[in-house]
Amino acid sequence: MKKVAIIMGSDSDLPVVEKAFAVLEEYGVSYEVHVYSAHRTPEAAKAFSVNARGNDFGVIIAAAGKAAHLAGALAANTTLPVIGIPVKSSTLDGLDALLSTVQMPAGIPVATVAIDGAANAALLAVQILSVSDASLAEKLNKAREASCAQVLAKDEAVSHRYNH
């Protein structure tokens, strides 16, 4: 199975990104975590993304705040799927990062999740990998079924209490 790369623009993004670790571990997906900056370490970020496919990665998750060019910088140097996580900052509550991540030019796509949406980024990475891995697809289906059952149980409890 291919690995997932998780790249942060700064180690201050770690509390957000840790939610992705938990999801990937739940699904048994291997991952590597690195800190590269689109602006402060552009050559290292480029080298990582240029070599990612050859290093057995299947998806790259990139988390960055403020100017948030990391996902785009990585996507410019690979044809692997790149998922951007805009990270909330004190400046504009993450809107700056969201816009920087989602507004990519034609030809260099970046999938973008919600501000601080690391869990969904990891789930999207698992879904991408599940295209060629039936066991991952089955785990995703079982998780969806369990989620459905939980919501229906809550509906039953609320309906029973309030509908007369």
Side-chain angles (χ1 to χ4, degrees):
M1 175 188 323
K2 298 283 186 184
K3 301 178 288 187
V4 173
I6 302 174
I7 313 299
M8 297 173 281
S10 168
D11 64 348
S12 65
D13 300 329
L14 196 54
V16 169
V17 173
E18 285 176 331
K19 294 174 184 129
F21 304 166
V23 171
L24 294 171
E25 289 166 8
E26 177 184 341
Y27 283 90
V29 174
S30 296
Y31 61 91
E32 284 185 20
V33 183
H34 298 278
V35 177
Y36 298 126
S37 167
H39 305 108
R40 295 175 300 232
T41 62
E43 293 304 318
K46 179 180 180 180
F48 182 87
S49 58
V50 164
N51 294 305
R53 187 180 298 274
N55 288 327
D56 211 29
F57 290 99
V59 181
I60 298 173
I61 296 174
K66 299 188 179 183
H69 296 124
L70 182 59
L74 295 170
N77 293 292
T78 187
T79 56
L80 289 176
V82 176
I83 303 166
I85 305 170
V87 176
K88 183 177 180 177
S89 67
S90 59
T91 311
L92 295 171
D93 283 337
L95 183 59
D96 48 349
L98 174 64
L99 294 174
S100 294
T101 305
V102 78
Q103 293 289 10
M104 291 299 298
I108 308 294
V110 169
T112 307
V113 295
I115 296 167
D116 291 351
N120 266 355
L123 281 170
L124 181 54
V126 172
Q127 288 178 316
I128 291 167
L129 295 177
S130 78
V131 168
S132 60
D133 188 317
S135 67
L136 277 182
E138 182 60 27
K139 288 178 184 178
L140 285 163
N141 285 331
K142 286 184 179 182
R144 291 274 177 103
E145 290 169 4
S147 177
C148 178
Q150 288 174 339
V151 172
L152 292 176
K154 291 176 184 180
D155 172 63
E156 177 69 25
V158 169
S159 294
H160 181 74
R161 183 172 178 185
Y162 295 104
N163 295 341
H164 300 285

